[in-house]
Amino acid sequence: MSEPLRTSRRRWVAAWAVTAAVGLVATAVLDSSSTRAPRPEGPVSAVCAERIADIEKQLAKAGREGDDGVLTFSRVEGGAADDCDEELRDHFGGGR
């Protein structure tokens, strides 16, 4: 039988260090390329402003009654593009 090739510990450690360094560099490159561009601050549509005001009223009423909060959903009415999802998240801090 032939004897298996033996490598020194230094070579194993060096190979592991190179692999780890390459992984860290690749992770840093991928993280930097996937950052989102900041969303431009624009005016909130009238429909979204009305929904936000309604939710604020419900929160105030729930606070007076001793409840913890209000459950709300953003919705699309009849296929409209205005679902207020981002506006609700920005206003109430759900994107944190």
Side-chain angles (χ1 to χ4, degrees):
M1 269 203 214
S2 65
E3 200 169 308
L5 295 175
R6 294 184 180 169
T7 57
S8 69
R9 284 188 185 151
R10 288 182 188 171
R11 286 188 184 184
W12 280 110
V13 170
W16 178 84
V18 168
T19 304
V22 169
L24 289 173
V25 169
T27 301
V29 168
L30 289 173
D31 282 344
S32 68
S33 68
S34 66
T35 57
R36 284 193 212 175
R39 195 168 153 253
E41 293 294 324
V44 178
S45 70
V47 173
C48 293
E50 184 179 321
R51 288 184 188 158
I52 290 172
D54 183 47
I55 294 167
E56 289 286 346
K57 288 177 190 175
Q58 291 177 21
L59 281 171
K61 181 180 176 184
R64 286 190 305 268
E65 294 174 357
D67 292 336
D68 290 337
V70 174
L71 177 64
T72 185
F73 299 94
S74 65
R75 60 189 183 270
V76 177
E77 294 176 1
D82 189 17
D83 69 349
C84 301
D85 183 42
E86 290 295 320
E87 288 82 0
L88 288 170
R89 221 178 256 140
D90 290 343
H91 185 79
F92 293 106
R96 288 187 241 174

